[in-house]
Amino acid sequence: MAQECCEPQVEAVHEGDRRVVLAGNPNVGKSAVFHGLTGVYVEVSNYPGTTVDISSGRLGDMVVYDTPGVYGISQFNEEERVAREVILQADVVVNVVDAAHLDRDLFLTLQLLDMGFPAVVALNMMDEAKANGLAIDVAALSEALGVEVIPMVATRGQGIEKLREAIGRARPGRITPALQKLLPQVTPAADALLIAEDDEDACRRHGMAVPGTREEVYRLRRERADEITAKVVRETTEGASLSVRLGRLSLHPLWGSLMLIAVMVAVYYILAVGVAQWVVGITEEEWMGGYYIPWITALGSRMLNPDSFLGKGLFGEFGLLTMTVSYILGLLLPMVLGFYLILSFMEDSGYLPRVAVLVDRWMNKVGLNGRAIIPTILGFGCVTMATMSTRLMGSQRERTIASFLLSLAIPCSAQLAVIAAMLAPLGAGYFVLFGLILFLVYGAAGALLNRVLPGESTPLLIDLPPLRWPNLANMLRKTFLKSKMFLFEAGPIFAAGSLLISAMDAWGILDRLQQGLAPITEGWLGLPRAAANAFIMGFVRRDFGAAGLYDLSLTAHQTMVALMTITLFVPCIASVMILLKERGRKEGALIWVADLVLAIFTGGLLHRILLVF
Amino acid sequence: MTLDETRPGQAFTVLSIADEMARLQAIRFGIAEGARAICQTVLPGGPVVVRKGKQEMALGRSLAHRIQVQPVEG
């Protein structure tokens, strides 16, 4: 999303306010602890220059910050960089730990203590640990760490009150003893540790050379974490809870694949049938088309001459107050909400990393690893945002491949809505054919890039959280937040595009472009001349292009060719801007031209193949 | 043997990880060199899922091939 609109609106910090920072591994219930501590008044904003959001709220005279879940404080990816920045500003750190995965989580805990922060450990998910047959000696853990440990079940509010009190008593814990000899004599203590861990920023700040001791520090810390775990965790039964067993089943070669197919079919029905047809049918056709547009058009014609420049721009076919409002509220909003709700569900339930494992083998074929499923899914929501999210990938090579495939063969939610609406009357066969062709183009382009680009892609290496039923309030919160940000970004671009088209129409530029493109649209693609209109609008916004085809009364054959060309064609202007910014001007422009050529080529080819049948 | 050659249910000790980033990440997850773990699942042609205690993690096939392990009895 655009950065300008999202300056960090963190709670106003007053001089002397203490900063409490929540830190923990992913999926340990940090946001439940955060909301338990701060209540309902929470600010959420993008961290400047990133796609990562940071929440902040107040607890008495303290400001509480939530950070992205990380396994350690370093600069391995964007989320770690953000977490590191926020944690380094902390007066007190509340380390949220998953009681069922103590050995993993203690690595971060010990790292925070080694940095010298006054801390409290929130030992969350005690219920899950118990269900998995684990008993934890809380007093011994607290003794070993040197800080208070508060057992909790944050989703049910258990332990929140005790944690709140303990924050006031936070104190620095025990530093890993064997580490002393590796720490340079600098202050603050956090910098000393960062230097010992080869952190380039910290070394530069203190004018020191990178010592190359990171792996040794990591090993010493891991040894201590394992020792502590062995001392405080006792397995009472061999039992694996239902969620653990279900999690294992979800990766079974056969059952896992069947489960994935079932999930995909369910998602398809919810989005393509439920939202795109049923909900949008009500919001766009009944509410917008039936009530709003006739009303606003009648109102407009009383105030302005409908044939004047302003009249057309505001109330005409592509008008700001007619088409723009109708598409944003009637079409985009329901799709975006539905999409983000499903993504939140997959994320919070722990199913998303399992999808990454299941698709890893196939993603390797296009030079990506299973984690690329996240930008891919996001791309079906918004290609612009997905292109930014490629920052989480391990190498520039993967970012190039992913950005190209996103801009070429992944239709965004706005476009999908139009594709679904236009293909629906043609029957299921056309859906399958359309999906198949898109899949082929995706695979062929990716495989080719993987072959010609130098270097190697990074392998998959992920932690698998247990499957759990997501917290509905958290899911809804995330959905509304992301949808709001999306619409705030999409709205102005949509409006500007609408005005641009009206102006081009009024000045006759549209006609001339249509004439100029006629050999391509009519000759090569076999479409009516006015289809060029839709292609040009596609520059302004991807879904505009597809939406412009609505009115052309195309045959089934023409619909397929036109939709395919427009899907592959060019991403919307916002995604082009992001592409140029993320991949550099040269590479970005190259990707754009490649999209154009491939779209027109594939469209024409499809036209000729369909003629045969 | 290498990790991609293990079968589900096989217990092993990690001997070496020939990839620096993966080695650091594995230390964080708790599956460092010297750690004892169990092969949970092998997806056909795909990643290997290993388990240490309650902790499960997935490693891509090419990475699993660069990890030397020593099988141990159950």
Side-chain angles (χ1 to χ4, degrees):
Chain A
M1 303 212 174
Q3 297 307 309
E4 310 81 53
C5 68
C6 318
E7 282 300 307
Q9 289 292 316
V10 286
E11 289 275 325
V13 181
H14 305 292
E15 279 303 314
D17 272 354
R18 295 222 299 162
R19 299 164 70 104
V20 178
V21 175
L22 261 60
N25 288 12
N27 290 301
V28 297
K30 239 165 5 74
S31 49
V33 174
F34 175 77
H35 288 284
L37 285 176
T38 57
V40 279
Y41 298 104
V42 170
E43 292 274 1
V44 187
S45 59
N46 266 27
Y47 195 81
T50 71
T51 52
V52 181
D53 36 85
I54 293 288
S55 309
S56 65
R58 293 200 76 93
L59 169 59
D61 61 349
M62 293 179 280
V63 187
V64 185
Y65 296 86
D66 196 6
T67 57
V70 293
Y71 298 103
I73 299 159
S74 183
Q75 305 197 42
F76 288 1
N77 58 38
E78 187 180 45
E79 294 185 334
E80 271 185 34
R81 276 188 285 274
V82 172
R84 173 183 171 280
E85 287 303 315
V86 181
I87 291 167
L88 284 175
Q89 310 285 321
D91 293 310
V92 173
V93 173
V94 174
N95 175 215
V96 185
V97 168
D98 175 357
H101 294 97
L102 200 58
D103 56 338
R104 178 200 66 196
D105 289 34
L106 277 182
F107 184 91
L108 176 65
T109 308
L110 295 176
Q111 193 175 25
L112 291 166
L113 298 184
D114 287 341
M115 291 171 101
F117 290 111
V120 178
V121 170
L123 188 60
N124 196 20
M125 304 197 168
M126 288 298 281
D127 52 342
E128 231 170 72
K130 202 174 159 197
N132 282 302
L134 297 175
I136 296 168
D137 185 342
V138 177
L141 179 60
S142 172
E143 165 64 27
L145 297 174
V147 296
E148 280 190 62
V149 176
I150 313 293
M152 346 185 31
V153 184
T155 47
R156 275 188 259 132
Q158 288 174 20
I160 291 284
E161 203 44 53
K162 286 213 172 95
L163 177 66
R164 203 174 285 163
E165 291 162 16
I167 289 173
R169 299 187 299 264
R171 58 175 188 263
R174 282 184 222 286
I175 290 179
T176 307
L179 220 62
Q180 293 293 356
K181 61 179 195 306
L182 294 170
L183 296 177
Q185 293 300 315
V186 299
T187 49
D191 277 10
L193 185 80
L194 285 177
I195 291 169
E197 291 188 3
D198 300 352
D199 186 287
E200 282 173 16
D201 287 351
C203 291
R204 203 176 311 120
R205 250 196 333 269
H206 291 274
M208 296 177 76
V210 174
T213 47
R214 175 163 64 185
E215 202 170 320
E216 196 181 345
V217 174
Y218 271 35
R219 270 175 210 290
L220 290 169
R221 184 175 298 133
R222 171 46 59 198
E223 274 172 31
R224 185 174 168 219
D226 287 348
E227 276 167 28
I228 295 176
T229 309
K231 206 157 54 182
V232 304
V233 180
R234 196 163 47 84
E235 243 177 276
T236 53
T237 57
E238 265 293 295
S241 66
L242 179 68
S243 78
V244 170
R245 274 179 286 150
L246 198 63
R248 285 177 193 162
L249 199 65
S250 72
L251 289 177
H252 186 275
L254 175 66
W255 300 118
S257 307
L258 290 178
M259 222 159 129
L260 181 64
I261 291 169
V263 169
M264 275 163 50
V265 169
V267 167
Y268 167 80
Y269 270 96
I270 293 170
L271 287 181
V273 180
V275 180
Q277 288 179 39
W278 186 67
V279 179
V280 170
I282 295 171
T283 53
E284 199 190 21
E285 281 166 34
E286 283 185 31
W287 294 355
M288 289 294 156
Y291 302 110
Y292 174 75
I293 291 189
W295 174 76
I296 194 82
T297 311
L299 189 74
S301 63
R302 260 185 276 145
M303 296 189 302
L304 283 168
N305 175 5
D307 294 323
S308 68
F309 180 69
L310 200 62
K312 270 191 181 168
L314 290 177
F315 303 105
E317 192 186 353
F318 314 120
L320 205 56
L321 296 175
T322 46
M323 186 180 80
T324 307
V325 171
S326 163
Y327 276 144
I328 289 183
L329 296 182
L331 186 92
L332 264 175
L333 183 62
M335 280 310 288
V336 164
L337 280 172
F339 173 82
Y340 279 125
L341 194 64
I342 281 173
L343 190 78
S344 308
F345 183 84
M346 303 238 296
E347 248 179 1
D348 291 6
S349 63
Y351 192 62
L352 204 55
R354 287 174 168 83
V355 179
V357 174
L358 289 168
V359 301
D360 183 60
R361 179 187 178 182
W362 311 108
M363 285 291 189
N364 284 345
K365 303 234 187 276
V366 295
L368 300 171
N369 75 44
R371 271 169 64 89
I373 195 65
I374 297 168
T376 308
I377 294 177
L378 280 175
F380 288 106
C382 172
V383 168
T384 306
M385 187 179 66
T387 306
M388 291 176 73
S389 80
T390 60
R391 285 182 201 159
L392 65 82
M393 311 189 95
S395 67
Q396 291 298 329
R397 182 180 199 267
E398 285 155 88
R399 294 188 57 187
T400 300
I401 296 175
S403 304
F404 177 62
L405 293 180
L406 279 169
S407 74
L408 179 70
I410 304 289
C412 68
S413 65
Q415 235 184 343
L416 273 175
V418 184
I419 291 170
M422 287 187 69
L423 286 183
L426 307 183
Y430 281 92
F431 267 112
V432 174
L433 185 63
F434 192 83
L436 204 67
I437 297 169
L438 217 50
F439 184 75
L440 276 177
V441 172
Y442 182 94
L448 185 72
L449 267 187
N450 187 29
R451 193 151 284 214
V452 299
L453 283 181
E456 230 185 296
S457 295
T458 57
L460 182 77
L461 175 55
I462 52 170
D463 159 58
L464 297 172
L467 283 184
R468 47 170 83 99
W469 197 250
N471 179 303
L472 187 66
N474 261 344
M475 261 173 62
L476 291 179
R477 212 158 20 223
K478 225 189 274 189
T479 302
F480 283 118
L481 174 76
K482 295 205 160 149
S483 304
K484 194 179 103 186
M485 284 175 145
F486 180 91
L487 289 183
F488 271 80
E489 186 235 341
I493 296 172
F494 211 82
S498 160
L499 280 178
L500 190 68
I501 292 289
S502 292
M504 284 166 75
D505 192 26
W507 294 326
I509 297 173
L510 234 43
D511 283 339
R512 259 172 283 155
L513 269 173
Q514 277 181 34
Q515 304 285 338
L517 287 172
I520 294 176
T521 40
E522 289 180 316
W524 173 247
L525 297 171
L527 296 172
R529 186 168 291 207
N533 204 352
F535 293 158
I536 296 156
M537 285 161 83
F539 274 105
V540 180
R541 226 191 131 83
R542 260 187 144 180
D543 49 284
F544 253 159
L549 295 172
Y550 263 144
D551 316 323
L552 293 179
S553 56
L554 303 170
T555 65
H557 171 156
Q558 286 176 321
T559 304
M560 282 292 284
V561 173
L563 282 179
M564 183 55 66
T565 310
I566 248 177
T567 304
L568 300 176
F569 200 36
V570 237
C572 70
I573 202 146
S575 74
V576 171
M577 278 154 57
I578 290 296
L579 192 65
L580 293 172
K581 183 173 159 242
E582 293 286 319
R583 304 313 309 146
R585 272 190 211 158
K586 201 172 136 207
E587 192 185 312
L590 212 61
I591 290 178
W592 193 11
V593 171
D595 281 348
L596 273 168
V597 173
L598 279 173
I600 292 170
F601 173 76
T602 313
L605 199 65
L606 181 64
H607 169 51
R608 274 152 189 78
I609 293 169
L610 286 174
L611 276 180
V612 177
F613 293 99
Chain B
M1 68 195 287
T2 54
L3 180 61
D4 58 322
E5 295 166 343
T6 57
R7 291 283 142 252
Q10 171 79 59
F12 56 84
T13 309
V14 180
L15 295 179
S16 68
I17 302 173
D19 179 318
E20 202 205 339
M21 277 316 272
R23 199 157 59 229
L24 291 170
Q25 196 64 34
I27 297 176
R28 287 168 160 200
F29 285 149
I31 306 192
E33 290 159 13
R36 208 185 126 137
I38 294 172
C39 172
Q40 180 78 38
T41 310
V42 183
L43 280 96
V48 180
V49 179
V50 300
R51 177 164 68 87
K52 182 197 164 210
K54 303 290 177 193
Q55 172 72 19
E56 292 178 23
M57 61 190 275
L59 303 97
R61 182 54 62 114
S62 65
L63 175 60
H65 189 67
R66 279 175 286 159
I67 298 179
Q68 290 287 334
V69 298
Q70 171 76 54
V72 292
E73 285 308 308

